[in-house]
């Protein structure tokens, strides 16, 4: 019996020994397998790292980027690439351009062909590694970008090496590894045998104390961790039985005390939690809502490693983390919205457009619909009084595409705010007001019950009303509406709405102030321009003046009747914009008018005007703290004589005029371009043009021609084409020219003057040569009397004879030959006496004892106007009478 018992023990020990040997053998096999797999992984990793290193080294090598920009980069890079390939031991180094064309390759016949591989990410700055099966075997290739000196990507470099090259090194070490594994297996077998022999001699295991201590440690750890742990497996009650639940899992899921041993479906969990726990699938960080908490769930099955069927579930409470993350995300969105608002609001100085920008930036990120109402004086640039804030005009309405146009007041609608309404109280208090329940807000609906019902029908449920207040001025109110599935506004949203409103209010107030100042400047400038062109017969005139959108400028035009039925045409331009330019323009226009009344020729008039501008500039610079000096001005002055149909023109820093002949041809006559007024140093030259009757003289400022998109030459060509298309009527010419040349948003003001020439009929002109003999006065006086009878001006005979006698006597006595008398019958009857002397008579008052000296005094009394005009050969003394 004892021998049989020892045999059993020996047999049992043999079984234990065999089991131990088997376990050791499995461990050795597993170790060798892991080594082989690790070797394969290391080989792949080594191949990848080597290809990346070689590609980056060649891409960053000096001269690589520069060579790729040369006309023949292959000639430079191919030798370098082959040398680098041989030195580094890789199979290939290929350089590609931004179109994916190979510039280098170990096989020259493949240069110039499309690169095979995913090179697009490298052209965007990424390093790409990929394993491919090429013609030379399985290999790892890397593609890296080539950066130029300014950071731009000019191409990419690809390097690759076959895995077999790296694997050969590992294969050489495999016998040594296997030998060591065999030795380890032998030692493990011997150790196992010795342990088995000892077990056969001693049958001793763990005692009760050690087992109890192990259980206590396991239980303490399981119930002390902050993660919930569940073990679900098969039991008598079914396959999905809760086998184990620690304290944290019970708290997070609200499990009953007797949960362990019960089916998961009987624990009272919601259907989503039950379905998740009994799904039997692996789950990674899936969020589950339970007991008002956000739980992150991970599930692993227990039978993957040969264990019993079931799963281990871990639960982690992330409610506070999600709350903090949501708050941080919301704060980030608000900061982004405020930044976008600071950039998008106030891009123009237009009040209405600024309000529209506020609405556009808030939809849909903060509101579904935004409305902006402004006090009516704000739209005209005025500062509203407190009582004006109750009389609003809708200037902006912006919302989703499904916005019902009948629900909200349309743009342009005048709205009278009731003082007792929520909107009125918000305006009175100057604070934003939140209404989170519009359907149950009777005070809001009382403002306009019909509109309120239409708004509620769109699904609107909450609104924030923000007064627009800047620099102590109440400008209007903005309303942010939410409807439908959008979350209702909360008190935290008030601060964001107020910040948006404050930024928009400052921009609106800036636009309001600009509107007011711009209106004042435009009014000043228009008051300085001609309010109406004077009546005359020499020209048929039409004019246009268009101020720039950026502000008023210094462009002007004028039409000045001169004696002898002549007319002066003026167009000028003061450099700059604003009130100073407009005021300077007014001073120059007045000066030109006064100089023209002196009957100065165009070139001489511009010389006097140049001196005036220089003096104004010096005076302005002498004022302390003044920076508004006259920086330059242009002017074109022309005098047209309908008797001779000649036009004398001079210009100072101004574009040349255009002449449209009666046949429709357009000419830009060569007028010497003098320097701008105030520059000095060069003389001004005048040119006389002979104009046929019916010709159109077109004068303009440079704002008509020059633009950001075209130069002066292009503008002149466009003007020529527009004039060729226009009709003979000056008004039609103005419309055609402006339609063709005026830009949509002019940056400079434009002055345009179109004059169609007329000729004084020959039968309205009479002229006589006079000998330097007092006896000739009687003959000329008789001829003048006969001419007045022909014209039907018998009533003017006495006055004309008196004026002519005095002027002709002075010419004979004090002037020089030749002496000429000319009568012009136009709107006025003009008597002109010219002689060859440049000495001008002057009016004086004779004493009672003087026998002479009263002639010019009588002329001044009987004539409407009289004066002297100098010519190249002498002077002309003229006197005008009204025709009765």
């Amino acid at each position: 019996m004892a021998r049989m018992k020892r045999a059993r023990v020996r047999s049992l020990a043999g079984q234990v020994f065999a089991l131990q040997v088997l376990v050791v053998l499995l461990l050795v096999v597993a170790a060798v397998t892991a080594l082989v797999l690790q070797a394969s992984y290391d080989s792949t990793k080594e191949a990848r790292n080597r290809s990346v290193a070689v590609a980056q080294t060649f891409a960053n090598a000096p001269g690589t980027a520069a060579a790729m920009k040369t006309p023949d980069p292959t000639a430079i890079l191919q030798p370098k690439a082959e040398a680098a390939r041989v030195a580094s031991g890789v199979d290939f180094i290929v350089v590609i351009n931004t179109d994916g064309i190979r510039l280098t390759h170990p096989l020259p016949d493949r240069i110039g062909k499309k690169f095979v591989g995913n090179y697009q990410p490298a052209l965007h700055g990424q390093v790409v590694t990929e394993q491919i099966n090429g013609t030379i075997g399985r290999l790892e290739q890397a593609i890296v970008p080539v950066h130029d000196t300014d950071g731009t990507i000019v191409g990419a470099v690809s390097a690759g090496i076959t895995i077999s090259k790296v694997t050969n090194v590992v294969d050489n070490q495999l016998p040594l590894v296997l030998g060591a594994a065999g030795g380890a297996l032998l030692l493990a077998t011997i150790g196992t045998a010795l342990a088995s022999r000892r077990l056969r001699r001693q049958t001793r295991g763990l005692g009760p104390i050690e087992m109890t201590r192990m259980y206590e440690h396991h239980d303490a750890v399981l119930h002390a961790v902050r993660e919930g742990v569940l073990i679900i497996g098969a039991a008598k009650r079914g396959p999905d039985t809760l086998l184990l639940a620690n304290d944290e899992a019970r708290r997070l899921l609200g499990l009953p005390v007797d949960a362990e041993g019960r089916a998961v479906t009987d624990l009272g969990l919601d259907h989503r939690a039950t379905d998740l726990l009994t799904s039997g699938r692996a789950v990674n960080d899936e969020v589950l809502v339970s007991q008002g908490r956000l739980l992150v769930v991970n599930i692993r099955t227990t039978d993957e490693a040969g264990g019993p069927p079931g799963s281990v579930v871990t639960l982690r409470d992330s409610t506070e983390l999600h709350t903090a993350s949501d708050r941080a995300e919301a704060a980030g969105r608000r900061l982004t919205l405020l930044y976008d608002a600071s950039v998008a609001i106030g891009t123009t100085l237009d009040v209405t457009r600024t309000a529209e920008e506020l609405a556009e930036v808030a939809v849909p990120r903060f509101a579904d619909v935004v409305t902006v109402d402004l006090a009516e004086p704000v739209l005209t640039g005025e500062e509203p009084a407190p009582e004006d804030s109750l009389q609003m005009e809708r200037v902006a309405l912006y919302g989703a595409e499904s916005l019902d146009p009948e629900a909200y007041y349309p743009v342009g609608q005048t709205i009278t705010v009731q003082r007792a309404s929520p909107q009125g109280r918000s305006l009175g208090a100057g604070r934003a007001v939140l209404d989170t329940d519009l359907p149950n807000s009777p005070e809001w609906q009382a403002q306009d019950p019909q509109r309120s019902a239409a708004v509620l029908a769109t699904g609107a449920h909450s609104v924030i009303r923000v007064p627009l207040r800047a620099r102590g001025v109440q400008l209007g109110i903005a309303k942010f509406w939410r409807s439908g599935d959008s979350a209702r506004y909360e008190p935290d949203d008030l601060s964001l709405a107020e910040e948006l409103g404050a930024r928009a209010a400052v921009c609106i107030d800036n636009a309001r102030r600009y509107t007011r100042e711009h209106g004042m400047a435009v009014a000043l400038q228009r008051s300085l321009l001609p309010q109406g062109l004077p009546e005359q017969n020499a020209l048929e005139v039409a004019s246009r003046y268009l101020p720039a959108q950026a502000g008023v400028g210094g462009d002007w035009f004028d039409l000045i009747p001169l004696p002898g039925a002549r007319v002066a045409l003026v167009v000028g331009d003061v450099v700059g914009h604003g009130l100073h330019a407009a005021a300077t323009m007014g001073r120059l226009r007045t000066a030109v008018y006064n100089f023209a009344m002196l009957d100065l020729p165009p070139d001489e008039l511009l010389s006097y005007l140049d001196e005036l501008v220089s003096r104004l500039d010096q005076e302005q610079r002498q004022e302390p703290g003044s920076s508004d000096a006259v920086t330059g001005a242009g002017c074109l002055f022309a005098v047209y004589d309908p008797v001779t149909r000649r036009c004398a023109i001079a210009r100072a820093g101004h574009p040349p005029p255009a002449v449209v002949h009666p046949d429709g041809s357009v000419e830009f006559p060569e007028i010497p371009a003098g320097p701008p007024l105030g520059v000095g140093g060069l003389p001004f030259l005048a040119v006389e043009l002979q104009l046929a009757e019916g010709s159109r003289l077109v004068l303009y400022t440079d704002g008509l021609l020059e633009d950001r998109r075209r130069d002066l030459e292009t503008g002149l060509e466009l003007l020529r084409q527009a004039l060729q298309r226009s009709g003979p009527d000056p008004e039609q010419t103005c419309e055609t020219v402006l339609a063709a040349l005026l830009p949509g948003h002019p940056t400079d003001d434009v002055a345009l003057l179109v004059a169609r020439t007329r000729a004084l009929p020959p039968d309205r002109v009479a002229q006589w040569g006079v000998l330097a003999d007092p006896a000739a006065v009687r003959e000329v006086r008789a001829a003048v009397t006969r001419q007045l009878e022909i014209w039907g001006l018998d009533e003017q005979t006495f006055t004309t004879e008196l004026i002519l006698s005095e002027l002709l006597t002075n010419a004979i006595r004090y002037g020089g030959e030749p002496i000429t008398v000319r009568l012009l019958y136009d709107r006025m009857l003009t008597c002109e006496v010219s002689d060859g002397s440049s000495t001008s008579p002057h009016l004086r008052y004779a004493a009672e004892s003087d026998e002479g000296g009263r002639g010019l005094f009588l002329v001044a009394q009987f004539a409407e106007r009289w004066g002297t005009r100098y010519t190249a050969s002498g002077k002309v003394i003229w006197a005008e009478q009204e025709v009765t």
Side-chain angles (χ1 to χ4, degrees):
M1 291 292 294
R3 185 176 297 175
M4 292 178 60
K5 186 175 181 180
R6 284 197 301 270
R8 285 179 191 166
V9 172
R10 201 176 287 119
S11 176
L12 179 59
Q15 293 178 3
V16 172
F17 175 78
L19 178 61
Q20 294 293 335
V21 171
L22 179 61
V23 170
V24 171
L25 182 61
L26 290 176
L27 290 176
V28 171
V29 172
V32 173
T33 303
L35 180 61
V36 173
L37 294 177
Q38 182 64 35
S40 176
Y41 171 78
D42 291 340
S43 299
T44 303
K45 184 176 181 181
E46 173 66 19
R48 181 183 301 114
N49 292 339
R50 187 181 299 182
S51 61
V52 170
V54 171
Q56 288 183 334
T57 302
F58 193 86
N60 298 323
T64 300
M68 297 184 71
K69 296 188 293 183
T70 61
D72 188 8
T74 301
I76 301 174
L77 295 178
Q78 176 69 6
K80 294 183 178 180
E82 287 303 296
R85 179 182 67 82
V86 174
S88 61
V90 297
D91 290 293
F92 65 88
I93 296 178
V94 177
V95 182
I96 61 175
N97 60 14
T98 55
D99 296 324
I101 303 303
R102 297 190 185 103
L103 303 180
T104 66
H105 197 277
L107 301 178
D109 59 340
R110 298 189 181 182
I111 297 176
K113 297 182 180 181
K114 194 71 173 183
F115 178 77
V116 178
N118 185 19
Y119 65 91
Q120 291 296 336
L123 298 182
H124 292 84
Q126 301 180 16
V127 175
V128 181
T129 60
E130 56 184 354
Q131 187 176 109
I132 62 175
N133 292 321
T135 57
I136 58 176
R138 190 165 59 95
L139 55 85
E140 282 284 336
Q141 74 173 6
I143 309 172
V144 300
V146 178
H147 295 273
D148 201 354
T149 55
D150 57 355
T152 59
I153 297 175
V154 297
V157 174
S158 174
I161 183 171
T162 56
I163 305 236
S164 60
K165 281 190 176 182
V166 184
T167 306
N168 292 335
V169 178
V170 179
D171 292 341
N172 295 332
Q173 298 176 356
L174 191 57
L176 179 60
V177 174
L178 292 177
L185 178 61
L186 180 59
L187 293 176
T189 304
I190 295 172
T192 303
L194 293 176
S196 298
R197 290 171 63 87
R198 189 175 183 84
L199 285 176
R200 287 196 301 267
R201 293 192 301 266
Q202 296 178 350
T203 57
R204 183 172 54 184
L206 293 176
I209 298 177
E210 289 79 6
M211 294 297 295
T212 302
R213 184 177 301 166
M214 182 182 296
Y215 174 78
E216 290 175 350
H217 288 173
H218 170 267
D219 189 66
V221 172
L222 183 64
H223 294 286
V225 294
R226 291 296 305 272
E227 282 194 357
V229 178
L230 301 174
I231 298 179
I232 301 174
K236 294 181 179 181
R237 298 192 178 184
D240 296 321
T241 302
L242 180 61
L243 302 180
L244 176 67
N246 68 347
D247 295 342
E248 185 69 7
R250 293 175 182 272
R251 183 181 70 85
L252 295 178
L253 295 177
L255 299 177
V257 179
D258 59 345
E260 294 180 354
R262 296 171 57 180
V264 176
T265 54
D266 297 336
L267 298 179
L269 303 177
D270 60 78
H271 68 91
R272 187 171 183 274
T274 302
D275 294 342
L276 183 61
L277 296 178
T278 59
S279 63
R281 58 183 176 87
V283 174
N284 292 318
D285 294 334
E286 186 166 334
V287 178
L288 175 66
V289 179
S290 178
Q291 302 292 316
R293 298 177 179 275
L294 295 175
L295 306 180
V296 178
V297 181
N298 287 275
I299 302 178
R300 295 293 183 270
T301 57
T302 59
D303 56 356
E304 293 180 355
S311 58
V312 177
V313 182
T314 59
L315 309 169
R316 186 173 66 253
D317 189 358
S318 62
T319 304
E320 296 180 357
L321 179 62
H322 275 274
T323 302
S325 176
D326 291 342
R327 290 179 179 176
E329 186 178 354
R333 289 196 300 268
R334 292 187 178 190
L335 289 176
T336 302
L337 178 58
L338 289 177
Y339 171 77
D340 293 343
S342 65
V343 174
I345 300 176
T347 59
T348 66
L349 288 174
D350 182 80
V351 173
T352 301
R353 180 57 192 154
T354 304
E356 292 173 350
E357 290 171 344
L358 168 62
E360 292 171 0
V361 79
V363 176
R365 288 185 288 178
F366 183 67
D368 295 321
V369 178
V370 176
T371 61
V372 181
D373 305 328
L374 297 179
E376 292 181 342
V378 175
L379 302 178
T380 58
E382 301 299 325
E383 183 173 313
E387 59 272 10
D388 294 332
S389 62
L390 299 179
Q391 194 71 20
M392 300 281 186
E393 181 175 327
R394 174 68 45 90
V395 295
L397 171 61
Y398 193 77
E401 296 181 356
S402 59
L403 178 66
D404 185 2
E406 301 297 330
Y408 298 90
Y409 289 112
V411 173
Q413 175 78 36
T414 301
I415 304 171
T416 302
V417 181
Q418 298 180 10
R419 194 178 299 274
S421 65
Q423 180 173 328
R425 291 198 301 270
S426 176
L427 291 171
R431 297 191 304 271
V433 174
L434 169 62
D435 194 339
T436 60
D437 192 5
L438 289 177
N440 297 318
S441 178
E443 294 181 348
W444 164 74
Q445 299 180 35
Q447 169 77 24
D448 190 336
Q450 184 177 359
R451 289 278 181 182
S452 302
V455 171
L456 292 177
T458 64
H461 49 66
S462 58
V463 66
I464 297 180
R465 304 177 181 90
V466 181
L468 301 178
R469 188 178 183 87
R471 303 179 180 94
V473 179
Q474 187 68 51
L475 304 173
I477 189 169
K479 301 174 189 175
F480 303 91
W481 306 79
R482 282 186 181 175
S483 58
D485 297 333
S486 300
R488 293 180 181 270
Y489 283 117
E490 298 178 355
D492 292 343
D493 295 320
L494 280 175
S495 59
L496 178 58
E498 288 177 336
E499 183 68 22
L500 289 174
R503 298 192 181 196
V506 172
C507 295
I508 290 174
D509 191 55
N510 291 339
R512 177 191 66 82
R513 291 169 177 260
Y514 171 79
T515 301
R516 181 184 60 186
E517 295 175 0
H518 183 266
M520 294 172 57
V522 171
L524 171 63
Q525 186 183 37
R526 291 195 179 278
S527 67
L528 296 175
L529 290 172
Q531 303 304 308
L533 297 178
E535 294 182 357
Q536 42 76 39
N537 293 337
L539 298 169
E540 181 184 355
V541 183
S543 62
R544 295 290 188 276
Y545 172 76
L546 299 172
Q549 289 188 351
V552 297
D555 291 13
W556 89 92
F557 62 90
D558 211 343
L559 183 71
I560 306 172
L562 298 177
R566 296 170 302 132
V567 177
L569 300 169
V570 189
V571 173
D573 180 10
V574 176
V575 176
H577 295 86
L579 293 175
H580 177 71
T584 303
M585 175 270 290
R587 300 172 75 175
L588 293 183
R589 176 175 176 252
T590 302
V592 170
Y593 184 85
N594 291 332
F595 288 149
M597 288 296 97
L598 296 177
D599 224 342
L600 299 174
D603 52 347
E604 187 175 345
L605 183 144
L606 291 181
S607 299
Y608 281 112
L609 197 62
D610 179 61
E611 294 179 3
L612 174 63
V613 172
S614 299
R615 188 161 57 251
L616 292 176
D617 192 7
Q618 293 175 1
E619 294 175 357
Q620 191 69 30
R621 293 182 186 275
Q622 291 175 358
E623 295 184 6
S626 175
S627 60
D628 293 332
V630 181
T631 57
C635 182
L636 187 147
F637 186 83
V639 177
Y640 174 69
D641 188 347
V643 178
T644 61
R645 291 183 286 105
R646 299 187 67 84
C647 182
I649 305 176
R651 64 188 178 114
H654 201 84
V659 177
V660 185
H661 298 289
D663 60 358
S665 61
V666 180
E667 176 189 3
F668 293 97
E670 293 291 337
I671 310 297
L677 299 175
V679 176
L682 295 175
F684 299 99
L685 300 178
V687 173
E688 282 197 355
L689 305 177
Q690 185 71 37
L691 301 178
E693 185 176 4
S695 300
R696 282 170 288 163
L697 187 63
V698 181
L699 311 181
Y700 51 88
T701 56
D702 56 1
L704 181 67
L705 302 182
E706 294 180 336
D707 188 31
R708 295 174 181 174
R709 298 169 296 177
R710 61 173 183 253
D711 55 12
L712 181 62
E713 295 299 327
T714 304
L716 287 174
E717 182 59 30
L718 292 176
L719 178 61
R720 179 194 303 274
Q721 297 174 6
L723 292 175
Q724 290 174 345
R725 295 193 306 268
S726 63
D729 181 49
E731 290 289 343
Q732 181 185 358
T733 303
C734 288
E735 295 296 333
T736 304
V737 169
L738 292 180
L741 278 82
L742 192 66
H745 300 281
T747 57
D748 194 7
D749 46 351
V750 175
L752 176 63
L753 189 64
V754 179
R756 184 182 181 189
T757 61
R758 296 170 178 166
L760 190 65
D763 59 356
R764 293 295 186 96
V765 180
Q767 183 172 325
W768 301 272
V770 181
L771 299 175
D773 184 1
V777 175
R778 183 180 60 183
E779 297 178 1
V780 174
R781 189 166 57 236
V784 168
T785 300
R786 290 192 298 270
Q787 185 64 48
L788 292 178
E789 291 177 355
I790 295 174
W791 287 341
L793 301 178
D794 298 334
E795 296 182 1
Q796 312 291 131
T797 302
F798 175 76
T799 303
T800 304
E801 289 181 350
L802 178 63
I803 294 174
L804 179 62
S805 298
E806 181 59 34
L807 297 181
L808 190 55
T809 301
N810 286 340
I812 294 173
R813 182 179 299 176
Y814 304 108
E817 294 183 329
I819 301 173
T820 305
V821 174
R822 188 173 70 165
L823 284 182
L824 303 176
Y825 177 26
D826 193 37
R827 288 179 176 270
M828 305 286 287
L829 178 61
T830 304
C831 178
E832 296 180 348
V833 177
S834 61
D835 63 77
S837 173
S838 59
T839 303
S840 175
H842 62 278
L843 178 66
R844 67 184 183 90
Y845 296 93
E848 293 183 358
S849 59
D850 292 342
E851 295 183 359
R854 296 179 177 83
L856 288 181
F857 178 77
L858 293 176
V859 172
Q861 293 296 316
F862 283 99
E864 287 294 323
R865 293 189 306 165
W866 76 281
T868 304
R869 178 172 72 254
Y870 292 96
T871 63
S873 59
K875 66 178 181 295
V876 176
I877 303 177
W878 53 269
E880 291 182 345
Q881 306 173 60
E882 285 189 358
V883 178
T884 59

